[in-house]
Amino acid sequence: MPRVLLIEDDPAVQKGVSLALRRRGHELEVAASGETGLLTLERFRPDLVLLDLMLPGMSGLEVCRRIRETMQLPIIILSARGDDIDLVVGLEAGADDYIVKPASGEVIEARMKAVLRRVVPQDPDVDPGRAGPAGQARPHGPEQHGDLALDRSALLVFKEGRELALAPSELKLLLFLSAAPGQVFSRQHLLEQVWEHSFYGDARLVDACVMRLRGKVEDDPRHPVYIQTVRGFGYRFGPVPRPDGGERPRQDER
């Protein structure tokens, strides 16, 4: 079972979450402050971090940013703050998901599984052959889209030969969209397929992840080539211009 680091200062929440996760077989460590959490991270090496925002000393947001500076470890914010601005700021800091407390053990477990599941979600509406030449299966090995090379088997993304450090949600979103270049997906559809939030929808997760992803894959995030907005509908991947310049991307409709 995944090893979980809970960074939380409220004893009642510590006890409730610990009981819920240990009953489900998780190995768990608890840190009561951000500073202690960062130290525990090095020693415990968890598979996922559950992170409170309102911590004594170093804030949860700062902890999230510091983890993201060096690690692409899945991070779920677990906070009593449910306002829009808190959620957006938390996601922009690099978190993969956001749970508002109080939350049941079932909800936390389900959201953890979704974040940890690194398999590219399968969409029955997507024709797998669309990622390659018409009528042919997707070729093995890295796919090339402009300056981006996507290796779906190894779950690696390169830009101009340099490996990109993508958080789990960013990687899943990029692989999902790029599996069907040019196809438009609504925010709700992406939320269900990438975050698996069939029971709770929040499009801000998608928008925040797109913003972070553009910052890593686009030359100019203000004029995206890869992750494009289709106003009133959602997002699509490309079309990406060919190296010979024969095909120009559609104008971004942000």
Side-chain angles (χ1 to χ4, degrees):
M1 292 291 285
R3 296 155 60 90
V4 179
L5 171 60
L6 171 63
I7 306 178
E8 167 67 64
D9 66 315
D10 187 328
V13 178
Q14 289 178 0
K15 182 178 180 181
V17 174
S18 297
L19 282 174
L21 296 186
R22 285 179 174 140
R23 281 176 181 166
R24 291 169 171 79
H26 292 284
E27 187 176 348
L28 186 90
E29 284 255 352
V30 178
S33 70
E35 292 85 349
T36 305
L38 292 177
L39 292 174
T40 306
L41 197 66
E42 297 297 323
R43 174 180 54 79
F44 182 55
R45 297 192 174 278
D47 299 301
L48 181 145
V49 173
L50 289 175
L51 176 63
D52 184 23
L53 286 182
M54 294 182 289
L55 295 168
M58 185 186 297
S59 72
L61 288 176
E62 182 60 23
V63 174
C64 185
R65 294 190 184 99
R66 293 200 182 191
I67 294 174
R68 276 287 169 265
E69 287 176 357
T70 57
M71 306 175 72
Q72 300 311 311
L73 186 68
I75 302 171
I76 297 178
I77 288 178
L78 189 61
S79 176
R81 293 178 174 176
D83 293 340
D84 287 357
I85 186 63
D86 295 315
L87 188 148
V88 170
V89 170
L91 296 173
E92 289 181 355
D96 294 288
D97 206 345
Y98 194 110
I99 300 175
V100 178
K101 295 185 289 190
S104 68
E106 288 78 9
V107 169
I108 295 173
E109 176 75 7
R111 303 283 276 271
M112 285 171 43
K113 284 183 176 178
V115 169
L116 287 166
R117 196 172 292 123
R118 283 176 170 263
V119 177
V120 181
Q122 297 299 308
D123 185 341
D125 296 326
V126 175
D127 175 5
R130 292 189 61 175
Q136 299 180 17
R138 183 179 296 131
H140 295 291
E143 303 168 11
Q144 196 70 37
H145 301 274
D147 293 333
L148 286 183
L150 311 181
D151 189 330
R152 295 179 184 276
S153 298
L155 299 176
L156 296 174
V157 178
F158 300 86
K159 183 175 183 181
E160 298 177 330
R162 178 177 56 86
E163 183 179 348
L164 298 181
L166 300 182
S169 55
E170 297 163 1
L171 177 64
K172 290 174 71 173
L173 179 61
L174 177 61
L175 294 180
F176 183 85
L177 288 171
S178 62
Q183 181 168 332
V184 179
F185 295 98
S186 69
R187 289 172 173 82
Q188 185 61 36
H189 189 94
L190 293 171
L191 197 64
E192 294 173 0
Q193 294 296 320
V194 178
W195 282 265
E196 303 180 28
H197 283 202
S198 58
F199 53 91
Y200 172 73
D202 194 332
R204 292 167 296 185
L205 279 171
V206 181
D207 295 335
C209 189
V210 165
M211 186 192 70
R212 298 200 317 261
L213 186 56
R214 282 174 172 164
K216 297 180 180 180
V217 304
E218 305 284 355
D219 291 334
D220 182 356
R222 295 170 301 177
H223 300 91
V225 171
Y226 300 104
I227 312 300
Q228 300 191 22
T229 302
V230 180
R231 188 183 299 277
F233 292 94
Y235 295 104
R236 68 170 177 241
F237 184 86
V240 179
R242 296 194 307 262
D244 61 6
E247 178 183 349
R248 297 181 62 81
R250 299 172 191 172
Q251 184 176 0
D252 181 34
E253 300 172 81
R254 293 176 302 161

